[in-house]
Amino acid sequence: MNAPPHPIEQSFELAAQRCADLTPLVYQRLFEAHPETRTMFRAQGSELVKGSMLALTIEAILDFAGERCGHFRLIACEVASHDAYGTSRELFIAFFAIIRDTLRDLLGDEWTPDMARAWDALLVEIDTYAGIPA
């Protein structure tokens, strides 16, 4: 018998049923919350970069929330590489909350208290893992 999906995984599964590509929604929210991030993406080819960045982030989130097989280590690597680009750790970590908020708004009534608790706990863990006090 299969166990029910983890609430984080479930939030992505339900979102996938409603939206084929989260990229535009996530980046619209990011640019609204942090307008300075618009200039971080070059005009040509940026859609591919944004899609790839989001896909890798989702893989890391799912692994971090689940079995921690290795994809989650990307978070620490990317904190360091984004530091080199001049991206603050706080802004880097804010991207995870942007994803959570996008999913919450997309799911509406299907967003559950279990999902909210799981995401809240995950964001605190990621802050700690990335070296930012919660």
Side-chain angles (χ1 to χ4, degrees):
M1 180 172 245
N2 290 337
H6 186 282
I8 303 258
E9 182 181 338
Q10 186 180 28
S11 68
F12 282 112
E13 288 174 0
L14 290 171
Q17 293 171 11
R18 291 179 175 231
C19 181
D21 184 5
L22 290 173
T23 307
L25 298 175
V26 168
Y27 282 91
Q28 177 183 351
R29 184 180 289 269
L30 176 67
F31 295 154
E32 288 171 0
H34 302 278
E36 71 278 15
T37 59
R38 283 188 191 276
T39 60
M40 295 176 174
F41 296 91
R42 65 178 191 255
Q44 189 174 14
S46 70
E47 295 308 312
L48 291 174
V49 170
K50 289 188 271 189
S52 175
M53 192 169 113
L54 181 59
L56 289 171
T57 304
I58 291 170
E59 283 180 31
I61 288 169
L62 291 171
D63 190 42
F64 199 87
E67 297 180 8
R68 296 195 184 180
C69 296
H71 292 288
F72 77 95
R73 289 187 178 93
L74 179 72
I75 295 168
C77 295
E78 288 301 317
V79 165
S81 70
H82 280 71
D83 276 346
Y85 298 141
T87 302
S88 70
R89 288 180 183 226
E90 291 78 10
L91 181 56
F92 179 85
I93 297 301
F95 189 63
F96 294 91
I98 295 286
I99 294 169
R100 184 246 353 244
D101 295 346
T102 302
L103 293 172
R104 182 192 61 222
D105 290 354
L106 183 62
L107 296 183
D109 290 343
E110 289 185 278
W111 183 259
T112 67
D114 283 346
M115 287 177 197
R117 282 188 294 276
W119 270 100
D120 288 347
L122 179 81
L123 293 176
V124 168
E125 284 188 75
I126 289 174
D127 279 350
T128 302
Y129 179 73
I132 301 171

PDB file of all heavy atoms in Angstrom, residues 32-54:
ATOM      1  N   GLU A  32       7.433  41.219  -8.817  1.00  0.00           N
ATOM      2  CA  GLU A  32       6.579  42.160  -8.075  1.00  0.00           C
ATOM      3  C   GLU A  32       7.111  42.382  -6.657  1.00  0.00           C
ATOM      4  O   GLU A  32       7.131  43.501  -6.160  1.00  0.00           O
ATOM      5  CB  GLU A  32       5.137  41.649  -8.025  1.00  0.00           C
ATOM      6  CG  GLU A  32       4.416  41.755  -9.350  1.00  0.00           C
ATOM      7  CD  GLU A  32       3.059  41.056  -9.363  1.00  0.00           C
ATOM      8  OE1 GLU A  32       2.654  40.473  -8.333  1.00  0.00           O
ATOM      9  OE2 GLU A  32       2.418  41.086 -10.430  1.00  0.00           O
ATOM     10  N   ALA A  33       7.533  41.297  -6.005  1.00  0.00           N
ATOM     11  CA  ALA A  33       8.021  41.394  -4.626  1.00  0.00           C
ATOM     12  C   ALA A  33       9.432  41.977  -4.555  1.00  0.00           C
ATOM     13  O   ALA A  33       9.780  42.641  -3.576  1.00  0.00           O
ATOM     14  CB  ALA A  33       7.997  40.019  -3.963  1.00  0.00           C
ATOM     15  N   HIS A  34      10.226  41.707  -5.578  1.00  0.00           N
ATOM     16  CA  HIS A  34      11.625  42.139  -5.604  1.00  0.00           C
ATOM     17  C   HIS A  34      11.952  42.688  -6.992  1.00  0.00           C
ATOM     18  O   HIS A  34      12.593  42.012  -7.798  1.00  0.00           O
ATOM     19  CB  HIS A  34      12.556  40.965  -5.271  1.00  0.00           C
ATOM     20  CG  HIS A  34      12.278  40.350  -3.941  1.00  0.00           C
ATOM     21  ND1 HIS A  34      12.758  40.881  -2.763  1.00  0.00           N
ATOM     22  CD2 HIS A  34      11.547  39.261  -3.594  1.00  0.00           C
ATOM     23  CE1 HIS A  34      12.347  40.143  -1.747  1.00  0.00           C
ATOM     24  NE2 HIS A  34      11.603  39.158  -2.224  1.00  0.00           N
ATOM     25  N   PRO A  35      11.507  43.914  -7.292  1.00  0.00           N
ATOM     26  CA  PRO A  35      11.698  44.476  -8.639  1.00  0.00           C
ATOM     27  C   PRO A  35      13.160  44.493  -9.097  1.00  0.00           C
ATOM     28  O   PRO A  35      13.429  44.423 -10.294  1.00  0.00           O
ATOM     29  CB  PRO A  35      11.152  45.900  -8.521  1.00  0.00           C
ATOM     30  CG  PRO A  35      10.298  45.906  -7.312  1.00  0.00           C
ATOM     31  CD  PRO A  35      10.804  44.829  -6.408  1.00  0.00           C
ATOM     32  N   GLU A  36      14.077  44.554  -8.158  1.00  0.00           N
ATOM     33  CA  GLU A  36      15.495  44.567  -8.520  1.00  0.00           C
ATOM     34  C   GLU A  36      15.937  43.290  -9.225  1.00  0.00           C
ATOM     35  O   GLU A  36      16.975  43.266  -9.891  1.00  0.00           O
ATOM     36  CB  GLU A  36      16.360  44.816  -7.266  1.00  0.00           C
ATOM     37  CG  GLU A  36      16.431  43.670  -6.273  1.00  0.00           C
ATOM     38  CD  GLU A  36      15.268  43.544  -5.286  1.00  0.00           C
ATOM     39  OE1 GLU A  36      14.207  44.166  -5.492  1.00  0.00           O
ATOM     40  OE2 GLU A  36      15.431  42.806  -4.302  1.00  0.00           O
ATOM     41  N   THR A  37      15.155  42.216  -9.108  1.00  0.00           N
ATOM     42  CA  THR A  37      15.541  40.950  -9.730  1.00  0.00           C
ATOM     43  C   THR A  37      15.331  40.945 -11.243  1.00  0.00           C
ATOM     44  O   THR A  37      15.918  40.115 -11.931  1.00  0.00           O
ATOM     45  CB  THR A  37      14.782  39.763  -9.105  1.00  0.00           C
ATOM     46  OG1 THR A  37      13.376  39.956  -9.275  1.00  0.00           O
ATOM     47  CG2 THR A  37      15.121  39.617  -7.630  1.00  0.00           C
ATOM     48  N   ARG A  38      14.523  41.853 -11.755  1.00  0.00           N
ATOM     49  CA  ARG A  38      14.300  41.903 -13.217  1.00  0.00           C
ATOM     50  C   ARG A  38      15.606  42.049 -13.978  1.00  0.00           C
ATOM     51  O   ARG A  38      15.795  41.420 -15.024  1.00  0.00           O
ATOM     52  CB  ARG A  38      13.381  43.058 -13.591  1.00  0.00           C
ATOM     53  CG  ARG A  38      11.944  42.818 -13.329  1.00  0.00           C
ATOM     54  CD  ARG A  38      11.104  43.953 -13.928  1.00  0.00           C
ATOM     55  NE  ARG A  38       9.747  43.858 -13.461  1.00  0.00           N
ATOM     56  CZ  ARG A  38       8.828  43.088 -14.012  1.00  0.00           C
ATOM     57  NH1 ARG A  38       9.113  42.362 -15.053  1.00  0.00           N
ATOM     58  NH2 ARG A  38       7.611  43.054 -13.515  1.00  0.00           N
ATOM     59  N   THR A  39      16.496  42.865 -13.465  1.00  0.00           N
ATOM     60  CA  THR A  39      17.749  43.122 -14.174  1.00  0.00           C
ATOM     61  C   THR A  39      18.741  41.971 -14.057  1.00  0.00           C
ATOM     62  O   THR A  39      19.771  41.982 -14.716  1.00  0.00           O
ATOM     63  CB  THR A  39      18.409  44.417 -13.658  1.00  0.00           C
ATOM     64  OG1 THR A  39      18.683  44.269 -12.260  1.00  0.00           O
ATOM     65  CG2 THR A  39      17.505  45.621 -13.895  1.00  0.00           C
ATOM     66  N   MET A  40      18.431  40.981 -13.242  1.00  0.00           N
ATOM     67  CA  MET A  40      19.331  39.838 -13.079  1.00  0.00           C
ATOM     68  C   MET A  40      19.219  38.839 -14.223  1.00  0.00           C
ATOM     69  O   MET A  40      20.032  37.919 -14.316  1.00  0.00           O
ATOM     70  CB  MET A  40      19.046  39.128 -11.752  1.00  0.00           C
ATOM     71  CG  MET A  40      19.352  39.961 -10.552  1.00  0.00           C
ATOM     72  SD  MET A  40      18.879  39.078  -9.057  1.00  0.00           S
ATOM     73  CE  MET A  40      19.496  40.202  -7.818  1.00  0.00           C
ATOM     74  N   PHE A  41      18.214  39.020 -15.060  1.00  0.00           N
ATOM     75  CA  PHE A  41      17.994  38.096 -16.168  1.00  0.00           C
ATOM     76  C   PHE A  41      18.147  38.858 -17.473  1.00  0.00           C
ATOM     77  O   PHE A  41      17.454  39.844 -17.702  1.00  0.00           O
ATOM     78  CB  PHE A  41      16.594  37.470 -16.084  1.00  0.00           C
ATOM     79  CG  PHE A  41      16.416  36.615 -14.871  1.00  0.00           C
ATOM     80  CD1 PHE A  41      15.919  37.164 -13.695  1.00  0.00           C
ATOM     81  CD2 PHE A  41      16.764  35.285 -14.886  1.00  0.00           C
ATOM     82  CE1 PHE A  41      15.766  36.393 -12.555  1.00  0.00           C
ATOM     83  CE2 PHE A  41      16.614  34.502 -13.748  1.00  0.00           C
ATOM     84  CZ  PHE A  41      16.119  35.054 -12.590  1.00  0.00           C
ATOM     85  N   ARG A  42      19.038  38.387 -18.324  1.00  0.00           N
ATOM     86  CA  ARG A  42      19.225  39.052 -19.608  1.00  0.00           C
ATOM     87  C   ARG A  42      17.981  38.877 -20.462  1.00  0.00           C
ATOM     88  O   ARG A  42      17.195  37.943 -20.255  1.00  0.00           O
ATOM     89  CB  ARG A  42      20.462  38.521 -20.310  1.00  0.00           C
ATOM     90  CG  ARG A  42      20.340  37.056 -20.707  1.00  0.00           C
ATOM     91  CD  ARG A  42      21.579  36.595 -21.441  1.00  0.00           C
ATOM     92  NE  ARG A  42      21.323  35.300 -22.018  1.00  0.00           N
ATOM     93  CZ  ARG A  42      21.801  34.168 -21.549  1.00  0.00           C
ATOM     94  NH1 ARG A  42      22.571  34.177 -20.497  1.00  0.00           N
ATOM     95  NH2 ARG A  42      21.513  33.028 -22.137  1.00  0.00           N
ATOM     96  N   ALA A  43      17.812  39.743 -21.416  1.00  0.00           N
ATOM     97  CA  ALA A  43      16.607  39.719 -22.247  1.00  0.00           C
ATOM     98  C   ALA A  43      16.543  38.462 -23.106  1.00  0.00           C
ATOM     99  O   ALA A  43      15.529  37.779 -23.152  1.00  0.00           O
ATOM    100  CB  ALA A  43      16.540  40.963 -23.121  1.00  0.00           C
ATOM    101  N   GLN A  44      17.626  38.130 -23.788  1.00  0.00           N
ATOM    102  CA  GLN A  44      17.608  36.994 -24.701  1.00  0.00           C
ATOM    103  C   GLN A  44      17.961  35.706 -23.962  1.00  0.00           C
ATOM    104  O   GLN A  44      18.968  35.620 -23.271  1.00  0.00           O
ATOM    105  CB  GLN A  44      18.602  37.226 -25.836  1.00  0.00           C
ATOM    106  CG  GLN A  44      18.488  36.215 -26.938  1.00  0.00           C
ATOM    107  CD  GLN A  44      19.394  36.584 -28.110  1.00  0.00           C
ATOM    108  OE1 GLN A  44      20.267  37.435 -27.993  1.00  0.00           O
ATOM    109  NE2 GLN A  44      19.176  35.946 -29.233  1.00  0.00           N
ATOM    110  N   GLY A  45      17.098  34.709 -24.092  1.00  0.00           N
ATOM    111  CA  GLY A  45      17.346  33.418 -23.471  1.00  0.00           C
ATOM    112  C   GLY A  45      16.953  33.312 -22.018  1.00  0.00           C
ATOM    113  O   GLY A  45      17.124  32.261 -21.405  1.00  0.00           O
ATOM    114  N   SER A  46      16.418  34.373 -21.451  1.00  0.00           N
ATOM    115  CA  SER A  46      16.128  34.335 -20.018  1.00  0.00           C
ATOM    116  C   SER A  46      14.986  33.389 -19.672  1.00  0.00           C
ATOM    117  O   SER A  46      14.949  32.859 -18.569  1.00  0.00           O
ATOM    118  CB  SER A  46      15.844  35.732 -19.476  1.00  0.00           C
ATOM    119  OG  SER A  46      14.619  36.225 -19.954  1.00  0.00           O
ATOM    120  N   GLU A  47      14.064  33.161 -20.605  1.00  0.00           N
ATOM    121  CA  GLU A  47      12.954  32.241 -20.306  1.00  0.00           C
ATOM    122  C   GLU A  47      13.487  30.826 -20.051  1.00  0.00           C
ATOM    123  O   GLU A  47      13.008  30.135 -19.155  1.00  0.00           O
ATOM    124  CB  GLU A  47      11.919  32.249 -21.432  1.00  0.00           C
ATOM    125  CG  GLU A  47      11.198  33.584 -21.591  1.00  0.00           C
ATOM    126  CD  GLU A  47      10.599  34.117 -20.305  1.00  0.00           C
ATOM    127  OE1 GLU A  47       9.910  33.363 -19.592  1.00  0.00           O
ATOM    128  OE2 GLU A  47      10.824  35.304 -20.006  1.00  0.00           O
ATOM    129  N   LEU A  48      14.480  30.413 -20.831  1.00  0.00           N
ATOM    130  CA  LEU A  48      15.082  29.090 -20.612  1.00  0.00           C
ATOM    131  C   LEU A  48      15.811  29.037 -19.274  1.00  0.00           C
ATOM    132  O   LEU A  48      15.723  28.041 -18.557  1.00  0.00           O
ATOM    133  CB  LEU A  48      16.051  28.749 -21.746  1.00  0.00           C
ATOM    134  CG  LEU A  48      15.420  28.490 -23.109  1.00  0.00           C
ATOM    135  CD1 LEU A  48      16.505  28.319 -24.169  1.00  0.00           C
ATOM    136  CD2 LEU A  48      14.527  27.267 -23.062  1.00  0.00           C
ATOM    137  N   VAL A  49      16.507  30.105 -18.945  1.00  0.00           N
ATOM    138  CA  VAL A  49      17.231  30.160 -17.665  1.00  0.00           C
ATOM    139  C   VAL A  49      16.245  30.096 -16.508  1.00  0.00           C
ATOM    140  O   VAL A  49      16.440  29.340 -15.551  1.00  0.00           O
ATOM    141  CB  VAL A  49      18.099  31.437 -17.590  1.00  0.00           C
ATOM    142  CG1 VAL A  49      18.666  31.634 -16.188  1.00  0.00           C
ATOM    143  CG2 VAL A  49      19.212  31.390 -18.618  1.00  0.00           C
ATOM    144  N   LYS A  50      15.177  30.890 -16.594  1.00  0.00           N
ATOM    145  CA  LYS A  50      14.177  30.903 -15.513  1.00  0.00           C
ATOM    146  C   LYS A  50      13.527  29.532 -15.363  1.00  0.00           C
ATOM    147  O   LYS A  50      13.368  29.040 -14.237  1.00  0.00           O
ATOM    148  CB  LYS A  50      13.122  31.977 -15.768  1.00  0.00           C
ATOM    149  CG  LYS A  50      13.654  33.388 -15.598  1.00  0.00           C
ATOM    150  CD  LYS A  50      12.558  34.420 -15.669  1.00  0.00           C
ATOM    151  CE  LYS A  50      12.329  34.863 -17.080  1.00  0.00           C
ATOM    152  NZ  LYS A  50      11.414  36.016 -17.191  1.00  0.00           N
ATOM    153  N   GLY A  51      13.152  28.906 -16.471  1.00  0.00           N
ATOM    154  CA  GLY A  51      12.522  27.581 -16.409  1.00  0.00           C
ATOM    155  C   GLY A  51      13.449  26.539 -15.815  1.00  0.00           C
ATOM    156  O   GLY A  51      13.041  25.724 -14.973  1.00  0.00           O
ATOM    157  N   SER A  52      14.708  26.578 -16.233  1.00  0.00           N
ATOM    158  CA  SER A  52      15.692  25.628 -15.717  1.00  0.00           C
ATOM    159  C   SER A  52      15.947  25.858 -14.238  1.00  0.00           C
ATOM    160  O   SER A  52      16.004  24.911 -13.442  1.00  0.00           O
ATOM    161  CB  SER A  52      16.995  25.770 -16.506  1.00  0.00           C
ATOM    162  OG  SER A  52      17.993  24.950 -15.964  1.00  0.00           O
ATOM    163  N   MET A  53      16.081  27.129 -13.852  1.00  0.00           N
ATOM    164  CA  MET A  53      16.317  27.460 -12.448  1.00  0.00           C
ATOM    165  C   MET A  53      15.159  26.990 -11.573  1.00  0.00           C
ATOM    166  O   MET A  53      15.369  26.407 -10.504  1.00  0.00           O
ATOM    167  CB  MET A  53      16.519  28.971 -12.310  1.00  0.00           C
ATOM    168  CG  MET A  53      17.041  29.412 -10.975  1.00  0.00           C
ATOM    169  SD  MET A  53      17.546  31.147 -11.040  1.00  0.00           S
ATOM    170  CE  MET A  53      16.326  31.850  -9.959  1.00  0.00           C
ATOM    171  N   LEU A  54      13.941  27.197 -12.036  1.00  0.00           N
ATOM    172  CA  LEU A  54      12.777  26.771 -11.267  1.00  0.00           C
ATOM    173  C   LEU A  54      12.714  25.246 -11.181  1.00  0.00           C
ATOM    174  O   LEU A  54      12.451  24.695 -10.109  1.00  0.00           O
ATOM    175  CB  LEU A  54      11.486  27.336 -11.866  1.00  0.00           C
ATOM    176  CG  LEU A  54      10.214  26.971 -11.116  1.00  0.00           C
ATOM    177  CD1 LEU A  54      10.249  27.452  -9.665  1.00  0.00           C
ATOM    178  CD2 LEU A  54       8.993  27.539 -11.843  1.00  0.00           C
TER     179      LEU A  54
END
